[in-house]
Amino acid sequence: MADYNGYQRAFDRAGIPVTFEPGYLNRGHGDIPAEKIRFIVLHHTASSLNDQGAINVVRDGTNGLQGPLSQIVLKHADGLPHIIAAGVSWHAFGEISFRGVPAGSGNYYSLGIEAVSTGLRDDWSKAQRENYPKVVAALLVDLGLDEKAWIFHRDFQPRSKIDPAFWTAKQMQDGITYWYHKIKGGAVPAKKTAIEDLADKLKLGTPVTPERACPDGAGKNRVYQDGKTIVYWTPQTPAAAIGGENLKKYSQIGYEKSVLGYPITNEIKIRDNGTYQRFQKGNMYYTPKYGSKLVYGSIFNKWGELDYEKGPLGYPITDELTASDGK
């Protein structure tokens, strides 16, 4: 078995200069041939903006995690790719199944791109903004994958990751779609709104309302499936769908004006037929036995320390309640 090594070819075709770390061909935690790669995971380094320092960490590892931590670093200064490793890298253990890859196995079926950014503020360079989607598109074309065969790390490991910060899925997909078809030499499709794009991905069918402003004026929503699903979007949050029992609960607490705010993920399946869904200010957990329950704030943080529903407490069976002393 041999590792994928089409980087030079892929980036030459797209007109992107690329550099290589010495020894990259022999660096990795096992082989990852082209035919095994199903998607690309997008990250930020959560480091200083020093490109060489970030390269060193991704190459060598940190905090007990052995390098390489990703195949590619997207440099800050010039926004260009630097190849760290050809083999498997520890970048995407993941919490969800994606593209048919079982949860926890993402490293063996994906490439990772670590873009140099602190993640604490919008410090992306102009070159990175321009090149990140282009780099992803070039690899997807070379690998023979479709234009949506990528995922943010925060969506692949949603309980603990935020990267890449200050990017929306809409921004990234629009750029990838443009360059994907440009590199292949085809016509560039017309852009869709983030709500339309997610509805297509989820196959929600024909909407029953137009896209409309939410009452708070901050976001937009559109209703699908005869009122059974609503897709929300704001300039600060990605498009996310809420339906079923979660939507009933959301309506009871006041939709986006509630203690939860806007949804930022779709409903995600977890153990024992349960699901969870992240919102701006908290989370909603659903089980067939207890229905949809809210968990947020300090109680959620403590529950997380105890390993969420997998820990000794299991799933929540009530919302957060006020104690008898009122305090």
Side-chain angles (χ1 to χ4, degrees):
M1 218 178 249
D3 295 317
Y4 168 69
N5 189 28
Y7 299 106
Q8 189 74 62
R9 177 181 62 238
F11 295 137
D12 281 352
R13 185 177 184 184
I16 303 170
V18 59
T19 52
F20 296 85
E21 189 70 5
Y24 82 98
L25 279 172
N26 299 312
R27 188 175 294 117
H29 303 286
D31 292 334
I32 184 165
E35 59 269 20
K36 198 173 180 181
I37 298 169
R38 299 188 189 176
F39 55 92
I40 300 171
V41 184
L42 280 51
H43 308 257
H44 69 234
T45 58
S47 67
S48 73
L49 303 182
N50 180 289
D51 286 332
Q52 189 57 56
I55 287 169
N56 293 345
V57 170
V58 174
R59 180 191 65 213
D60 300 331
T62 185
N63 297 330
L65 192 62
Q66 182 184 1
L69 304 182
S70 210
Q71 284 87 1
I72 305 166
V73 169
L74 189 73
K75 294 178 287 182
H76 187 268
D78 57 16
L80 296 177
H82 182 76
I83 310 305
I84 298 292
V88 171
S89 299
W90 296 152
H91 70 97
F93 293 95
E95 295 171 351
I96 65 167
S97 172
F98 184 65
R99 296 256 161 172
V101 174
S105 303
N107 291 312
Y108 301 98
Y109 295 90
S110 66
L111 299 180
I113 302 175
E114 291 278 1
V116 178
S117 167
T118 67
L120 301 175
R121 60 188 184 277
D122 189 355
D123 52 27
W124 296 95
S125 67
K126 181 179 178 182
Q128 284 178 311
R129 287 283 183 187
E130 293 173 351
N131 283 341
Y132 208 164
K134 190 176 182 181
V135 165
V136 177
L139 291 170
L140 294 177
V141 170
D142 192 70
L143 287 162
L145 298 172
D146 66 84
E147 65 196 85
K148 297 183 179 180
W150 64 274
I151 189 169
F152 283 150
H153 194 203
R154 65 177 184 243
D155 296 322
F156 199 53
Q157 199 165 333
R159 282 199 253 203
S160 57
K161 302 299 181 182
I162 64 168
D163 54 319
F166 303 99
W167 280 87
T168 68
K170 168 74 171 161
Q171 288 172 323
M172 186 62 73
Q173 187 64 71
D174 281 351
I176 291 171
T177 295
Y178 174 84
W179 284 112
Y180 184 90
H181 292 276
K182 196 85 170 173
I183 293 166
K184 291 187 75 172
V188 178
K191 288 185 179 180
K192 298 178 182 178
T193 67
I195 289 176
E196 290 172 331
D197 190 51
L198 180 61
D200 285 350
K201 288 179 181 176
L202 299 179
K203 299 179 180 179
L204 297 181
T206 303
V208 296
T209 69
E211 284 193 23
R212 54 194 184 176
C214 294
D216 65 0
K220 294 183 178 181
N221 70 60
R222 196 169 198 178
V223 180
Y224 291 82
Q225 297 179 320
D226 294 327
K228 296 177 183 177
T229 302
I230 301 178
V231 180
Y232 286 89
W233 171 87
T234 80
Q236 291 76 39
T237 60
I242 181 168
E245 294 300 314
N246 280 5
L247 181 57
K248 291 180 184 178
K249 186 73 172 183
Y250 198 48
S251 69
Q252 292 168 8
I253 62 175
Y255 297 103
E256 71 279 356
K257 294 179 289 183
S258 70
V259 67
L260 293 182
Y262 283 92
I264 58 175
T265 70
N266 302 323
E267 198 168 359
I268 298 168
K269 294 181 180 179
I270 46 180
R271 62 184 294 168
D272 301 328
N273 297 315
T275 68
Y276 79 96
Q277 186 162 7
R278 287 181 61 190
F279 294 75
Q280 286 176 304
K281 304 172 187 176
N283 300 268
M284 192 178 294
Y285 281 78
Y286 167 81
T287 61
K289 184 175 182 179
Y290 298 111
S292 298
K293 305 300 176 186
L294 315 184
V295 192
Y296 50 89
S298 297
I299 290 177
F300 174 74
N301 293 338
K302 188 64 177 179
W303 188 49
E305 292 175 11
L306 298 171
D307 204 18
Y308 304 99
E309 78 287 347
K310 294 180 286 185
L313 297 183
Y315 281 100
I317 63 175
T318 71
D319 295 329
E320 185 171 324
L321 306 174
T322 301
S324 58
D325 63 4
K327 298 180 181 180

